[in-house]
Amino acid sequence: MGSDRSDLPESLCLVGFMGSGKSTVGRLLAERLQWTFIDLDDRIETEAGKSVSEIFAEDGERAFREIETRIGREVVGREHTVLATGGGWGAVPGRVAELPATVATIWLQVSPELAVDRIRRQAPVRPLLSGTSDPLSEARKLLDKRRPQYEAAGLHVNTSGREVTEVVSEILKHIRSGHRTRPS
Ligand code: S3P
């Protein structure tokens, strides 16, 4: 029937900039696949006992990145799991490219303009953009720097102007058709 589950990868990993919809898309994808959903930032907050912005403010970005790296390593690639990472996780050089082929990596693309607009209207506070007087130019700079790392993902999906259900359908169609969305 074209949806042979044996074609599916073992797990999905969503990467991309803040405001690209990784958590929302990931939750719905997991529901559709009847897989487990893991949000990396939620895991970090649970373990730290405080919010991401509190970690940044009280312990610094470096401490946050250390926890993110450690917990990310624990959860990435878990079987039948959709992992929504934070925007900085997939921005580390080599991290996406070096994942095993059993992990299908998906870059949710968003323009800096739309990202800033979504972030302004949505929780949680993003410490990297909230502390600047010009979030748009900061987002542009950050995205330019991160793009080469996000590009290593096996599937690139544009989220601009699209409903969550549309983005999820595109990803499901792609992985069910046997495209293994792995880094090339
Ligand atoms: C960050 C993105 C955030 C969160 C933290 C740092 C980043 O996650 O991990 O504020 O470096 O891009 P989202 O991408 O879910 O907003």
Side-chain angles (χ1 to χ4, degrees):
M1 292 285 288
S3 60
D4 181 357
R5 298 184 72 87
S6 65
D7 282 345
L8 293 175
E10 278 179 26
S11 73
L12 299 183
C13 175
L14 302 179
V15 301
F17 203 64
M18 294 169 262
S20 59
K22 301 177 295 291
S23 304
T24 316
V25 167
R27 195 170 288 112
L28 186 59
L29 262 176
E31 199 183 301
R32 295 274 163 87
L33 288 163
Q34 295 182 292
W35 284 7
T36 303
F37 173 65
I38 296 179
D39 186 284
L40 186 52
D41 280 345
D42 284 354
R43 289 286 170 117
I44 293 168
E45 292 187 337
T46 302
E47 171 152 333
K50 49 188 165 185
S51 70
V52 168
S53 45
E54 283 167 343
I55 303 173
F56 268 75
E58 293 167 20
D59 312 313
E61 179 173 353
R62 197 171 164 166
F64 173 79
R65 298 298 174 200
E66 280 169 18
I67 312 176
E68 184 181 49
T69 298
R70 180 168 49 76
I71 301 184
R73 201 180 291 129
E74 281 167 26
V75 296
V76 72
R78 284 197 187 166
E79 209 178 343
H80 294 170
T81 290
V82 179
L83 173 66
T85 62
W89 186 87
V92 174
R95 188 169 271 167
V96 174
E98 287 160 20
L99 285 172
T102 48
V103 182
T105 49
I106 299 157
W107 173 25
L108 296 187
Q109 298 171 302
V110 65
S111 67
E113 290 76 12
L114 189 55
V116 166
D117 189 52
R118 284 179 183 164
I119 286 165
R120 200 176 281 136
R121 288 183 284 123
Q122 289 168 0
V125 171
R126 286 12 183 245
L128 288 181
L129 297 179
S130 63
T132 161
S133 58
D134 189 353
L136 181 55
S137 87
E138 191 57 36
R140 284 192 180 123
K141 267 193 273 169
L142 207 49
L143 185 55
D144 280 347
K145 199 167 147 209
R146 292 175 169 187
R147 191 173 288 110
Q149 279 68 251
Y150 293 153
E151 271 174 353
L155 177 65
H156 301 174
V157 181
N158 185 11
T159 68
S160 301
R162 302 178 75 194
E163 295 293 331
V164 174
T165 47
E166 212 183 312
V167 171
V168 167
S169 298
E170 179 179 335
I171 295 171
L172 288 174
K173 198 169 142 199
H174 192 87
I175 62 172
R176 283 178 170 145
S177 70
H179 295 278
R180 298 303 303 267
T181 57
R182 63 182 67 164
S184 47

